[in-house]
Amino acid sequence: MPPPSSATAGQVIKCKAAVAWEAGKPLVIEEIEVAPPQKMEVRLRILFTSLCHTDVYFWEAKAQDSVFPRIFGHEAAGIVESVGEGVTELVPGDHVLPVFTGECGECAHCKSEESNMCTLLRINTERGVMINDGKSRFSINGKPIYHFIGTSTFSEYTVVHVGCLAKINPLAPLDKVCVLSCGISTGLGAMLNVAKPKKGSSVAIFGLGAVGLGAAEGARLAGASRIIGIDLNPSRFEEAKKFGVTEFVNPKDYTKPIQEVIAEMTDGGVDRSVECTGNINAMISAFECVHDGWGVAVLVGVPHKDSEFKTHPVNFLNERTLKGTFFGNYKPRTDLPGVVEMYMNKELEVEKFITHEVPFAEINKAFELMLKGEGLRCIIKME
């Protein structure tokens, strides 16, 4: 497919978008207007997007406020259509992955080798406008439609801050690598960048959704010998074998705490654990199931805002380590192109994460699948 023409640069583009008019109601395909990119912004054509649980969570808006009408979507791949003032890193025709967090390159976090939590562009679920001028780039009949976490990929065209776009290998198939812009990379990075299991080690993963299986893929790549999957849904166990998970534990099958079960299975505890559910009890179990002396637990899941983590301080004194991570400690612009190369070099297997595909007109079907807990990732084809 030829790159989109920049003949449209500087002009308003009319295109289709899936608009969420109110919480929990099916999205409606509408014709919208997308304004040109302003300073440090990029307008891109989305070719493929996929549905992540975060979209569903904020669309349902049961646990938090969400602004409407809004265009959701953040796991995607596209091609740059035009760039705003000051953008030098990207040109029309570049292939990019939009990311819900960013990398301005200037703040203390971006300058630190240890952090990826950009001060300017880190995720903000409440903001429905662009940072530059506090306005939306989407409208219908002059009325603004709000953005979602800086990406809004459920639209044929979207406007994103340049710091939230990873420029990738133009040979990478966008219908596959689009899923690397959020959940899978979060799990993969939590394992490879934060837990860092040694070859031959034992690993426990709490939650076998796409993020947890991304962590399993990381453990497989690291050469872990035992990968124990913990989930309340036994139907996930068969699928997880494809990701290198060797053993399965369903907490419902036991009366004693799951950390005790895992300690018995592993002669004192696993070397590494990664928690991907956000359930506070699972987080505590993930920490308490690692081996004393060297065990490391990594928290990935986002807990309820009122949750409190309670454990005995002796667990720390016995040389267990607890860590947290955001987006797998990947800096979006610097590191994501390398994750795409892992796929291109046939190290990272992405196809097995993609279980469904729907055309854009049937985007609500992707929501239905996720609400039923069916499959891992559903690709939404914009064409």
Side-chain angles (χ1 to χ4, degrees):
M1 180 187 294
S5 158
S6 281
T8 47
Q11 299 173 22
V12 169
I13 288 180
K14 286 189 176 181
C15 70
K16 288 192 173 73
V19 177
W21 287 101
E22 52 185 304
K25 294 284 166 64
L27 307 188
V28 182
I29 304 290
E30 305 276 13
E31 184 177 80
I32 66 160
E33 295 190 335
V34 184
Q38 302 299 309
K39 189 176 180 182
M40 301 310 285
E41 296 172 2
V42 175
R43 186 162 60 184
L44 58 148
R45 181 179 170 204
I46 299 292
L47 297 185
F48 299 94
T49 185
S50 60
L51 182 64
C52 168
H53 191 263
T54 306
D55 297 306
V56 176
Y57 182 78
F58 284 93
W59 163 75
E60 288 184 310
K62 288 177 183 171
Q64 75 305 303
D65 295 329
S66 200
V67 294
F68 292 94
R70 201 170 204 182
I71 297 170
F72 287 101
H74 63 283
E75 238 183 39
I79 298 178
V80 173
E81 174 270 337
S82 61
V83 301
E85 179 195 335
V87 175
T88 54
E89 308 90 322
L90 294 170
V91 295
D94 280 346
H95 288 209
V96 290
L97 299 182
V99 186
F100 64 88
T101 183
E103 184 182 349
C104 71
E106 301 297 322
C107 69
H109 286 278
C110 287
K111 287 180 174 170
S112 162
E113 287 180 11
E114 296 178 51
S115 176
N116 66 337
M117 299 189 70
C118 177
T119 305
L120 179 70
L121 300 170
R122 78 171 65 169
I123 187 169
N124 182 330
T125 57
E126 291 167 17
R127 187 172 56 233
V129 292
M130 298 303 286
I131 290 173
N132 181 43
D133 59 1
K135 292 178 182 169
S136 173
R137 302 286 172 261
F138 303 120
S139 61
I140 294 179
N141 300 326
K143 290 186 178 151
I145 308 292
Y146 294 106
H147 294 252
F148 177 62
I149 54 178
T151 51
S152 294
T153 61
F154 295 163
S155 174
E156 292 174 327
Y157 285 85
T158 187
V159 177
V160 177
H161 191 286
V162 65
C164 299
L165 292 169
K167 180 181 174 179
I168 62 164
N169 184 338
L171 299 176
L174 297 180
D175 61 332
K176 304 290 188 287
V177 298
C178 62
V179 298
L180 295 176
S181 70
C182 177
I184 294 163
S185 294
T186 295
L188 183 76
M191 188 64 74
L192 293 178
N193 299 336
V194 189
K196 298 180 180 171
K198 295 184 172 76
K199 197 173 169 64
S201 60
S202 60
V203 172
I205 296 166
F206 288 73
L208 298 175
V211 176
L213 292 174
E217 186 73 355
R220 180 185 72 77
L221 290 170
S225 60
R226 291 180 75 182
I227 304 175
I228 302 166
I230 299 104
D231 203 294
L232 295 169
N233 180 357
S235 68
R236 287 180 160 173
F237 293 166
E238 197 55 43
E239 185 88 43
K241 288 177 186 171
K242 295 180 198 167
F243 298 82
V245 180
T246 55
E247 296 154 77
F248 301 95
V249 176
N250 183 345
K252 286 181 186 168
D253 296 342
Y254 301 89
T255 51
K256 62 173 118 182
I258 206 65
Q259 51 268 48
E260 290 178 24
V261 175
I262 293 167
E264 284 172 17
M265 287 170 66
T266 54
D267 194 22
V270 287
D271 302 313
R272 301 288 186 266
S273 74
V274 176
E275 198 291 319
C276 304
T277 71
N279 176 292
I280 191 64
N281 295 318
M283 290 179 161
I284 294 164
S285 298
F287 174 58
E288 294 183 354
C289 82
V290 298
H291 206 291
D292 57 3
W294 61 79
V296 178
V298 179
L299 305 184
V300 179
V302 179
H304 187 275
K305 63 181 184 346
D306 299 328
S307 299
E308 290 183 352
F309 189 100
K310 293 177 181 174
T311 191
H312 201 284
V314 164
N315 289 322
F316 293 100
L317 299 176
N318 287 343
E319 298 175 6
R320 289 178 184 89
T321 301
L322 180 65
K323 292 184 170 186
T325 177
F326 170 70
F327 192 50
N329 276 39
Y330 286 122
K331 290 180 186 276
R333 292 204 280 184
T334 302
D335 299 330
L336 262 196
V339 177
V340 171
E341 290 312 307
M342 285 171 70
Y343 167 72
M344 296 299 281
N345 296 335
K346 298 190 165 40
E347 299 162 52
L348 175 61
E349 298 168 9
V350 168
E351 283 83 356
K352 59 194 178 186
F353 287 94
I354 299 166
T355 50
H356 298 84
E357 188 175 301
V358 297
F360 188 35
E362 295 171 28
I363 188 169
N364 288 303
K365 206 174 270 183
F367 279 75
E368 287 163 25
L369 287 164
M370 187 160 277
L371 289 170
K372 282 186 206 157
E374 286 179 28
L376 292 170
R377 279 295 182 262
C378 179
I379 300 291
I380 299 152
K381 193 176 176 186
M382 302 305 283
E383 296 261 283

